[in-house]
């Protein structure tokens, strides 16, 4: 039996930017956005990348799509060596790997109607004839609840409708991978729910999805796997439907009101979270200040954590039931 | 009983025959937090801006009264209700003197609310100059404003583009309270922030308002945030939008 390749396979990817100052004479600084991340997205899987602003989620997701080049490391999409391919070689595959932008309004053409947006996408990227594109575009818009809004311009639509147009464009292409960068930012809780239902409910069966978010409720509800990022590294990987986060930083991220307010200072050596870590304060002899914790595999295969003082114990009944 | 800072009653605003908000009452007392919640399009921002006397000429104030009892007994909507855009413009000019020294507004998306072409220090100076009591030492006041929100002093030389999202939010808060207002209106300060920063900025907002003994009208989407800070909640009913 041939093995089905993973939709995305990221191996030890590093990205360093040179960020210039506001003025030509300002000093430029090196920013380590992503510092060695491994990630696999299997067909039909939704993986959430969560973390605070500046943790490297967006950079990682852009590298997956080839919108940024990694400084080192390898990225494979559908078994092809994506990170070593030239743009010309990537071009025929690009249609299968789609991006849902954070700001829907700026991604839409202010002079095109909802229907025109989707028709143009199908004609340009799938090479469909005008009549076929129109039939398919209408079908997708109806499926996303925009059946009565074919002729609406972006400015005449609500935030949720604008999001749905970006989703309709992407989903009508039956992609193999969708990378959604905060698809629900700026929307209200009930609208968030509807947009995610539209996105994930209409994904092709074998398609993978990378969901970048800092809404923990979204990750909990919609993702099969969740990667918590801090300072460019993955510090915990878990299935939120089976386990609860155990890394002190993940716990803070998921329950910000239950823990002391962090100083927000990240340490350059050892564990980046040591300054605000209550567990390290209680166990000062632990090696957190000197050695960087590795993402260790546990007996519970879907849960990995990078913490010298972390214990994986919380396994919910779902796994027990499935056995 | 202490007098209220803001007492707005029965606010109804109409546009093309449709009520955008109807019969909204908002009461904010000194040292207290009132949260204004409701779905998108329910008129949260509209009501908050109306409470500062800002009503767009294209929409029509059809009923309501607006008083700032701590200041005077005047009903600012007297003569404005159903009197059309010119009267609403007059209200905008008359209430201009209140905005800054009495009430200040911190808009949604701090990064876009700050002037991109002016350093934070200059923006703070301009807010400080709107204080009811003038200050002698502007530079010292700027440093105090930065200390209050936990920003380093060198941030005064930075342009908004050089600040991170969390710092921008702090900077916007510093500008909002620099004029020493008695009432602060914060419009969804958590927009675009991650959960940890949201908690930080909300607590900072509450602390600064408590220290200053000023009232806070917080517009928010987040039930958990509002529940944690123990605010009085005003819920606006939603409107049917797809």
């Amino acid at each position: 039996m041939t093995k089905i390749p993973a939709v995305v396979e990221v191996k030890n990817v590093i990205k360093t930017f040179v960020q210039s100052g506001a003025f030509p004479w300002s000093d430029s600084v090196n920013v380590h956005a992503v510092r060695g991340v491994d990630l696999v997205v299997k067909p039909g899987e939704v993986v959430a990348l969560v973390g605070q602003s500046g943790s490297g989620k967006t950079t990682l997701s852009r590298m997956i799509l080839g919108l940024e080049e990694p400084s080192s490391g390898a990225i494979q999409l559908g078994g092809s060596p994506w990170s070593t391919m030239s743009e010309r070689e990537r071009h025929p595959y690009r249609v299968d790997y789609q991006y849902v932008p954070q700001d829907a309004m700026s991604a839409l053409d202010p002079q095109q109607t909802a229907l025109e947006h989707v028709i143009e996408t199908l004609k340009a990227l799938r090479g469909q004839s005008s009549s076929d594109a129109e039939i398919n575009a209408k079908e997708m818009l109806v499926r996303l609840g925009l059946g009565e809004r074919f002729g609406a311009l972006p400015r005449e639509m609500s935030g949720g409708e604008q999001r749905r147009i970006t989703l309709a464009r992407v989903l009508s292409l039956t992609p193999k991978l969708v990378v959604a960068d905060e698809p629900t930012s700026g929307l209200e809780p009930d609208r968030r729910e509807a947009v995610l239902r539209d996105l994930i409910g209409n994904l092709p069966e074998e398609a993978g999805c990378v969901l970048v978010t800092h809404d923990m409720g979204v990750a909990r509800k919609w993702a099969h796997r969740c990667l918590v990022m801090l300072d460019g590294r993955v510090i915990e990987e878990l299935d939120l439907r089976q386990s609860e986060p155990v890394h002190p930083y993940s716990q803070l991220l998921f329950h910000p009101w239950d823990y002391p307010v962090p100083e927000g200072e990240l340490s350059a050596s050892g564990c980046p979270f040591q300054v605000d870590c209550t567990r390290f304060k209680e166990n000062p002899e632990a090696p957190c200040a000197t050695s960087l914790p590795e993402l260790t595999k546990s007996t519970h295969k879907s849960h990995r954590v990078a913490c010298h003082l972390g214990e994986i114990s919380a396994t919910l009944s779902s796994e027990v039931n499935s056995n | 009983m202490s007098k209220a800072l803001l007492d707005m009653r029965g606010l109804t605003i109409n546009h093309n025959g449709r009520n955008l908000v109807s019969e909204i009452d908002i009461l904010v007392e000194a040292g207290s937090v009132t949260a204004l919640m409701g779905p998108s399009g329910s008129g949260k921002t509209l009501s908050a801006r109306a409470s500062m006397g800002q009503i767009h000429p294209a929409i029509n104030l059809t009923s309501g009264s607006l008083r700032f009892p701590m200041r005077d007994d005047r009903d600012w909507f007297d003569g404005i209700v159903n009197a059309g855009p010119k009267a609403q413009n007059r209200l905008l000019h008359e209430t201009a003197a209140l905005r800054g020294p009495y009430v200040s507004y911190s808009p949604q998306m701090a990064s876009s609310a700050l002037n991109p072409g002016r350093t934070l220090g200059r923006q703070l100076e301009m807010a400080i100059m709107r204080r009811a009591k003038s200050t002698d030492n502007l530079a010292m006041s700027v440093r105090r404003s930065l200390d209050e929100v936990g920003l380093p002093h060198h941030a005064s030389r930075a342009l908004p583009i050089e600040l991170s999202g969390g710092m921008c939010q702090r900077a916007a808060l510093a500008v909002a309270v620099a004029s020493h207002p008695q009432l602060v209106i914060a419009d969804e300060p958590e927009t675009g922030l991650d959960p940890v920063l949201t908690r930080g900025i909300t607590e900072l907002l509450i602390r600064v308002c408590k220290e200053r003994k000023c009232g806070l009208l917080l517009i928010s989407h987040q039930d958990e945030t509002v529940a944690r800070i123990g605010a009085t909640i005003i819920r606006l009913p939603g409107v049917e939008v797809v």
Side-chain angles (χ1 to χ4, degrees):
Chain A
M1 198 179 107
T2 51
K3 196 183 155 198
I4 301 169
V7 182
V8 180
E9 202 167 347
V10 173
K11 279 185 193 154
N12 197 23
V13 155
I14 294 172
K15 177 71 184 174
T16 310
F17 287 109
V18 178
Q19 193 177 46
S20 46
F23 301 107
W25 55 88
S26 309
D27 292 334
S28 52
V29 283
N30 275 337
V31 179
H32 301 280
V34 177
R35 308 172 189 237
V37 169
D38 295 314
L39 164 71
V40 176
V41 183
K42 295 181 200 131
E45 196 179 31
V46 178
V47 175
L49 292 179
V50 303
Q52 281 190 266
S53 308
S55 60
K57 323 183 281 294
T58 298
T59 307
L60 178 60
S61 64
R62 287 175 63 81
M63 282 197 291
I64 290 172
L65 288 174
L67 301 173
E68 301 278 356
E69 295 304 321
S71 305
S72 75
I75 298 172
Q76 291 196 342
L77 293 191
S80 320
W82 188 250
S83 53
T84 54
M85 284 158 84
S86 67
E87 197 49 49
R88 189 183 287 266
E89 289 168 321
R90 282 176 186 169
H91 190 259
Y93 300 101
R94 277 217 176 267
V95 65
D96 292 329
Y97 305 116
Q98 288 295 320
Y99 182 65
V100 178
Q102 190 170 356
D103 182 4
M105 189 59 188
S106 65
L108 298 175
D109 181 343
Q111 296 187 341
Q112 273 191 338
T113 64
L115 187 61
E116 283 166 355
H117 273 103
V118 187
I119 289 176
E120 188 185 42
T121 307
L122 284 170
K123 280 164 71 177
L125 297 178
R126 283 278 179 227
Q128 293 185 359
S129 66
S130 297
S131 54
D132 284 353
E134 187 171 340
I135 293 166
N136 293 332
K138 280 183 174 169
E139 189 194 323
M140 182 49 73
L141 287 171
V142 169
R143 217 198 292 175
L144 297 187
L146 293 167
E148 291 172 6
R149 306 288 281 158
F150 290 161
L153 291 169
R155 66 183 156 79
E156 296 165 343
M157 298 181 210
S158 69
E161 286 176 333
Q162 289 167 1
R163 290 301 146 110
R164 285 203 187 98
I165 301 298
T166 60
L167 296 187
R169 274 201 308 203
V170 164
L171 294 170
S172 64
L173 294 166
T174 53
K176 290 178 181 162
L177 170 73
V178 175
V179 175
D181 191 359
E182 311 220 1
T184 57
S185 71
L187 291 181
E188 263 183 83
D190 50 333
R191 305 254 170 92
R192 274 179 221 163
E193 191 73 28
V195 165
L196 283 161
R197 210 172 30 240
D198 285 341
L199 169 62
I200 293 170
N202 288 303
L203 278 175
E205 208 169 302
E206 292 293 296
C209 179
V210 176
L211 199 60
V212 179
T213 180
H214 51 219
D215 184 332
M216 302 306 141
V218 165
R220 195 176 279 280
K221 178 148 190 198
W222 297 99
H224 298 110
R225 229 154 16 98
C226 174
L227 272 69
V228 184
M229 289 190 72
L230 170 67
D231 197 24
R233 293 188 182 93
V234 175
I235 53 142
E236 189 159 11
E237 180 180 350
L238 73 163
D239 179 347
L240 286 162
R241 292 170 303 182
Q242 293 191 359
S243 329
E244 281 297 311
V246 294
H247 194 289
Y249 174 76
S250 316
Q251 290 176 338
L252 171 74
L253 205 58
F254 279 84
H255 307 285
W257 291 89
D258 296 343
Y259 295 91
V261 184
E263 302 279 324
E265 196 181 318
L266 297 175
S267 173
S269 65
C271 174
F273 192 58
Q274 57 181 281
V275 181
D276 292 313
C277 183
T278 44
R279 228 176 265 173
F280 179 47
K281 280 175 194 151
E282 287 162 10
N283 300 283
E285 72 285 353
C288 306
T290 48
S291 99
L292 178 72
E294 292 285 315
L295 201 59
T296 51
K297 280 184 185 165
S298 74
T299 47
H300 183 15
K301 60 183 179 185
S302 64
H303 197 164
R304 299 194 301 158
V305 63
C307 178
H308 292 302
L309 299 164
E311 287 173 18
I312 298 171
S313 57
T315 306
L316 296 183
S317 54
S318 55
E319 195 181 60
V320 179
N321 291 342
S322 66
N323 290 335
Chain B
M1 198 189 122
S2 66
K3 278 189 175 177
L5 284 167
L6 165 69
D7 186 359
M8 187 164 71
R9 284 168 202 264
L11 175 79
T12 304
I13 292 177
N14 187 291
H15 177 58
N16 286 345
R18 191 169 70 95
N19 277 352
L20 301 177
V21 289
S22 133
E23 295 294 322
I24 305 294
D25 298 338
I26 298 176
L27 184 78
V28 186
E29 289 182 340
S32 74
V33 184
T34 303
L36 195 56
M37 302 187 75
S40 293
S42 61
K44 300 185 293 289
T45 301
L46 192 70
S47 309
R49 297 193 84 110
S51 72
M52 298 186 296
Q54 293 182 329
I55 302 169
H56 197 278
I59 53 180
N60 194 15
L61 176 72
T62 53
S63 80
S65 68
L66 173 67
R67 289 190 169 85
F68 302 107
M70 284 277 267
R71 194 174 182 278
D72 52 38
D73 285 334
R74 176 176 173 186
D75 176 5
W76 290 81
F77 285 171
D78 191 20
I80 310 294
V81 174
N82 280 323
K86 275 193 178 165
Q88 284 167 205
N89 257 339
R90 198 174 65 239
L91 173 72
L92 187 69
H93 290 297
E94 284 177 0
T95 49
L98 292 176
R99 290 188 291 274
Y102 188 81
V103 52
S104 79
Y105 178 75
S106 166
Q108 227 170 334
M109 292 300 288
S111 50
S112 59
L114 295 168
N115 185 333
R118 285 208 175 106
T119 61
L120 176 57
R122 182 68 192 134
Q123 294 186 56
L124 280 169
E125 281 174 14
M126 291 171 75
I128 289 165
M129 286 191 285
R130 289 189 62 80
R131 281 180 190 170
K133 281 184 198 164
S134 62
T135 177
D136 305 333
N137 193 334
L138 213 51
M140 179 70 90
S141 301
V142 168
R143 283 201 290 276
R144 264 197 217 125
S145 289
L146 291 169
D147 286 341
E148 203 169 23
V149 295
L151 283 174
H153 289 174
H154 62 76
S156 68
R157 292 193 299 275
L159 290 170
I161 196 173
E162 296 171 287
L163 303 173
S164 68
M167 284 170 97
C168 263
Q169 200 59 259
R170 280 165 191 265
L173 174 61
V175 172
V177 298
S179 58
H180 286 182
Q182 295 183 50
L183 171 64
V184 177
I185 300 174
D187 194 351
E188 297 190 26
E190 73 268 7
T191 305
L193 297 185
D194 58 58
V196 180
L197 276 179
T198 298
R199 181 194 168 178
I201 203 77
T202 312
E203 286 191 336
L204 178 67
L205 191 62
I206 305 279
R207 179 176 61 74
V208 170
C209 288
K210 279 218 167 109
E211 281 171 7
R212 289 279 182 78
K213 295 188 177 60
C214 52
L216 173 64
L217 180 62
L218 178 71
I219 302 176
S220 180
H221 268 323
Q222 300 197 340
D223 287 314
E224 194 188 3
T225 307
V226 172
R228 295 277 180 167
I229 58 177
T232 315
I233 299 173
I234 300 171
R235 272 187 202 278
L236 302 187
V239 286
E240 282 298 311
V241 182
V242 183

